[in-house]
Amino acid sequence: MRFCSLLAILYFIYAAECANILFVTTFSSISHQKVFQPIWRELSLRGHKVTAITPNPMHEKSLTNLTEIDISFLYRLHGKLPNEWKVFLFRKPNFLVVFLKDFLANFWFSKNHSKILENSDVQKLIHGESKFDVIAEWLLPFGGAFAAKFKCPLVGITSLGAPVASLDTVGNPSHPVFSPDYNLPIGKKLSFLDRILSTLFSVYTKLHHQWVLLPREDKLVKKYFGDDMPYLGDIQQNISILLLNRNPVFHRVMPFVPAVIELGSVQSYQKPAPLNEELKTFLDKSENGVVYLSFGSTILSEDLPDSIREIFLQTFSDIPYNVVWKWEGNELAGKPKNVFTQKWIPQAELLNHPNVKLFITQGGLQSMQETIKSHVPVIGIPAHSDQTFNVDTAVYHGFGIGIDYEYLSVETLKDALNEIMTNGSYKENIIKMDKLMRDRPIDGLKKAIWWIEYVIRHKGAKHLRSPSLDIPWYQYLLLDIFAVIGVVLFLFFYIVYKLSLIFVKLLKRLFSKVLKFKTD
Ligand SMILES: *[C@@H]1O[C@H](CO)[C@@H](O)[C@H](O)[C@H]1NC(C)=O
Ligand SMILES: *[C@@H]1O[C@H](CO)[C@@H](O)[C@H](O)[C@H]1NC(C)=O
Ligand SMILES: *[C@@H]1O[C@H](CO)[C@@H](O)[C@H](O)[C@H]1NC(C)=O
Ligand SMILES: *[C@@H]1O[C@H](CO)[C@@H](O)[C@H](O)[C@H]1NC(C)=O
């Protein structure tokens, strides 16, 4: 106990002097924001003056050192989707669609970035007198422009795995077999086709980033920050450290340079919201066990293709368990008696209820972290980004069953459901997983704060910069070495060949002389 409080005191004394910090987030997705909120909250509590550009402001009056710039209008840009698009969104992408999805997604992100920069409060920041140390959501390098504007250190952060394009900016090697992009629909073990996909995707990512994305976003930066800004491709390599919300037990084991820091996981700072009375009563009386179904916050139930909804309804009407379904629509037509629907579910608290035995999920990282913490095994039906990988991790470690969209049927779903409800090994394995993930020297939030203050204390982290950033690509790929070795080998064999020709000629001449001598 003593030791702990001593550590806590040291931790506070060692804090950097108070800084002016700008936290730039760009993704209108609550699951991203849930990871960032505790960080800017903690920084402000430690006496730093923090300004956060966020689509999910916390509006906590007691945080007097925190200013939030609300960009929640990003959520309202969400248009109505035609049915074909819904199926497209819901379905795990195949080989070619991976490239198309990435291309389109990035195009849309750039559109959103211009909306963020147009915002009047953001404009005031850009053209104001204040200077900030900058922390930027680092899926795309656009937030780095703020750091270049204020000529101050830059910290990148992501709420999910390790995108290859982000790792490239810190000069971290991303071998296509050991470090595939987190977005690829491939699991822990790579098949031959997976390896081809990963290799092609890593080439595509680099070319797309250099030739399409950087020039496009650079134009944006110049338009809103001024023409005197450095090129975005140079700005992005000025990053001091990259914080990744990933845990090597859950995610892939891959090599990282010292400027890349794995946080493990950052837990929500909020106590889970309590269950409402109606939901609590339903859970309490479900003594046979409860199956919980939710597709997270990006795919709403109205986006669910009709055929899929039918499969769920039919399966649920024929099982001896109760079901809680996060359903945002008005009413669920043909809802069986054992199904309870509600627009909003306090998920963390629901998963903690002892009667909840199974979670049917798309496999978003936040949901996976919450369900592991509550020891509830999963059936995963992955769709986009890192979900395939997350679901595969559950299968690999034996705490879940994965069903791809095209194999989803009443039979497969019912089999998977019965298997998890009756076989205790899934529960045992998820408890093991939780123990492994928790066993680490320092909690994710403390680690993030320590590293951010480290960068502020030392005005950047040049001393941790990966040398691969400062050499040309042909040197990185060893092309010059291979060229020289190739030429030397060629010359060597050429000379050996020529010498042997001469030698043979000499021998022949000698031989013919000897013959002549003999016959004479
Ligand atoms: C705000 O920052 C000051 C130091 O700059 C600190 O003393 C104070 O406790 C902070 N207030 C809150 C509510 O975090
Ligand atoms: C970007 O904007 C589109 C609409 O233009 C919206 O649907 C989407 O949610 C936004 N995406 C992000 C990641 O903010
Ligand atoms: C890189 O960062 C330093 C300060 O850390 C700054 O002086 C310099 O202008 C930055 N360069 C670019 C291209 O952003
Ligand atoms: C339970 O599941 C595990 C692996 O998922 C399997 O090895 C085992 O045979 C199953 N047990 C029963 C009784 O089906």
Side-chain angles (χ1 to χ4, degrees):
M1 199 58 226
R2 280 261 175 80
F3 183 64
C4 284
S5 49
L6 185 66
L7 268 187
I9 292 167
L10 274 180
Y11 167 67
F12 279 95
I13 291 177
Y14 208 51
E17 64 246 61
C18 300
N20 208 11
I21 298 174
L22 176 65
F23 204 125
V24 186
T25 69
T26 51
F27 260 63
S28 47
S29 165
I30 181 67
S31 57
H32 291 216
Q33 302 290 322
K34 263 192 183 162
V35 176
F36 304 144
Q37 284 173 342
I39 296 177
W40 65 65
R41 181 174 184 274
E42 183 67 18
L43 284 170
S44 86
L45 287 175
R46 284 165 68 75
H48 300 295
K49 221 170 145 290
V50 182
T51 305
I53 301 179
T54 168
N56 292 85
M58 301 186 291
H59 298 303
E60 268 185 51
K61 290 247 156 49
S62 63
L63 298 177
T64 46
N65 296 326
L66 174 67
T67 312
E68 288 169 310
I69 296 183
D70 183 350
I71 51 168
S72 57
F73 63 84
L74 284 182
Y75 284 113
R76 295 189 286 279
L77 296 177
H78 195 84
K80 265 245 168 284
L81 288 172
N83 216 30
E84 305 81 75
W85 275 86
K86 290 178 193 171
V87 177
F88 179 65
L89 266 184
F90 199 78
R91 182 169 233 161
K92 180 171 140 178
N94 64 22
F95 202 102
L96 285 178
V97 173
V98 169
F99 296 89
L100 185 66
K101 258 192 177 173
D102 184 79
F103 189 84
L104 288 177
N106 279 312
F107 178 76
W108 279 109
F109 298 154
S110 291
K111 293 249 175 259
N112 294 15
H113 292 166
S114 73
K115 293 272 180 337
I116 296 170
L117 291 175
E118 273 166 25
N119 179 283
S120 59
D121 289 327
V122 175
Q123 278 292 313
K124 257 183 239 155
L125 266 188
I126 295 175
H127 300 293
E129 295 295 308
S130 309
K131 287 207 172 240
F132 300 88
D133 293 311
V134 175
I135 305 168
E137 181 168 17
W138 205 245
L139 291 179
L140 294 167
F142 132 100
F146 289 91
K149 178 82 193 170
F150 305 128
K151 297 202 170 37
C152 69
L154 169 65
V155 171
I157 185 167
T158 74
S159 59
L160 5 98
V164 165
S166 310
L167 290 177
D168 281 349
T169 63
V170 261
N172 195 81
S174 310
H175 190 285
V177 175
F178 307 116
S179 321
D181 194 83
Y182 77 114
N183 259 330
L184 289 176
I186 54 186
K188 275 242 193 255
K189 287 224 164 83
L190 274 62
S191 68
F192 182 66
L193 203 63
D194 291 341
R195 282 181 283 137
I196 291 188
L197 175 61
S198 180
T199 306
L200 290 179
F201 192 81
S202 84
V203 175
Y204 152 81
T205 303
K206 289 179 204 317
L207 298 184
H208 175 259
H209 193 81
Q210 286 301 326
W211 291 344
V212 182
L213 196 125
L214 277 177
R216 183 172 67 213
E217 299 254 312
D218 182 64
K219 246 188 233 156
L220 264 184
V221 166
K222 296 241 159 58
K223 178 168 171 202
Y224 292 99
F225 284 82
D227 282 329
D228 54 342
M229 289 290 285
Y231 183 59
L232 190 57
D234 298 327
I235 294 175
Q236 69 170 11
Q237 298 200 337
N238 226 1
I239 181 175
S240 295
I241 55 168
L242 174 60
L243 306 172
L244 301 176
N245 184 36
R246 79 195 288 288
N247 185 317
V249 178
F250 182 88
H251 289 98
R252 267 173 229 286
V253 172
M254 56 164 93
F256 289 120
V257 295
V260 175
I261 289 113
E262 288 182 295
L263 296 180
S265 72
V266 178
Q267 303 293 343
S268 170
Y269 70 96
Q270 286 164 320
K271 273 213 189 105
L275 299 168
N276 47 307
E277 210 39 59
E278 220 183 328
L279 179 57
K280 187 167 183 318
T281 316
F282 182 81
L283 292 175
D284 286 343
K285 67 171 207 260
S286 305
E287 275 150 13
N288 249 352
V290 174
V291 175
Y292 167 52
L293 167 63
S294 163
F295 292 115
S297 51
T298 36
I299 297 220
L300 302 179
S301 43
E302 58 189 311
D303 297 333
L304 206 61
D306 297 346
S307 55
I308 299 290
R309 196 183 56 211
E310 269 314 305
I311 291 173
F312 284 122
L313 284 174
Q314 217 179 318
T315 309
F316 292 159
S317 68
D318 199 25
I319 53 169
Y321 316 109
N322 282 349
V323 177
V324 171
W325 186 336
K326 177 171 170 278
W327 176 264
E328 300 84 3
N330 284 333
E331 63 177 294
L332 178 55
K335 184 176 85 168
K337 269 211 244 18
N338 59 335
V339 176
F340 177 95
T341 60
Q342 193 165 283
K343 283 190 184 171
W344 182 77
I345 305 274
Q347 177 165 300
E349 198 55 34
L350 176 127
L351 287 169
N352 275 334
H353 194 284
N355 285 348
V356 176
K357 305 290 186 204
L358 168 62
F359 182 10
I360 303 180
T361 172
Q362 278 197 305
L365 186 55
Q366 296 292 316
S367 287
M368 292 303 263
Q369 283 178 347
E370 283 176 4
T371 208
I372 289 171
K373 219 170 136 201
S374 309
H375 304 163
V376 179
V378 299
I379 291 178
I381 307 171
H384 53 82
S385 54
D386 58 339
Q387 292 168 352
T388 308
F389 177 79
N390 296 344
V391 169
D392 195 67
T393 298
V395 175
Y396 183 86
H397 290 279
F399 64 87
I401 293 177
I403 308 179
D404 281 353
Y405 176 87
E406 56 260 55
Y407 299 118
L408 188 64
S409 68
V410 176
E411 290 76 47
T412 53
L413 189 59
K414 207 187 285 173
D415 283 353
L417 224 143
N418 285 329
E419 165 72 7
I420 291 186
M421 292 303 256
T422 54
N423 184 335
S425 75
Y426 294 91
K427 178 91 174 175
E428 278 166 30
N429 289 334
I430 204 166
I431 294 175
K432 238 185 259 167
M433 187 72 179
D434 181 42
K435 275 197 186 141
L436 278 177
M437 283 178 68
R438 271 188 214 220
D439 201 356
R440 54 200 169 148
I442 182 173
D443 141 87
L445 178 59
K446 287 210 173 92
K447 198 170 181 184
I449 302 291
W450 191 87
W451 276 102
I452 290 167
E453 291 184 342
Y454 175 89
V455 169
I456 294 172
R457 274 199 297 279
H458 300 291
K459 304 195 170 37
K462 271 242 153 67
H463 47 285
L464 294 182
R465 183 177 167 91
S466 167
S468 73
L469 284 175
D470 300 313
I471 57 175
W473 60 272
Y474 67 85
Q475 285 186 16
Y476 182 83
L477 294 175
L478 304 180
L479 295 188
D480 50 346
I481 311 274
F482 284 133
V484 168
I485 292 178
V487 167
V488 168
L489 280 181
F490 176 78
L491 283 178
F492 175 74
F493 285 114
Y494 185 76
I495 290 168
V496 166
Y497 172 71
K498 280 288 176 200
L499 281 178
S500 54
L501 280 188
I502 294 169
F503 187 64
V504 168
K505 225 184 231 166
L506 277 178
L507 267 187
K508 262 190 191 155
R509 209 174 277 167
L510 201 68
F511 199 59
S512 59
K513 264 198 189 138
V514 171
L515 275 182
K516 222 168 162 193
F517 180 77
K518 270 212 166 151
T519 46
D520 280 351

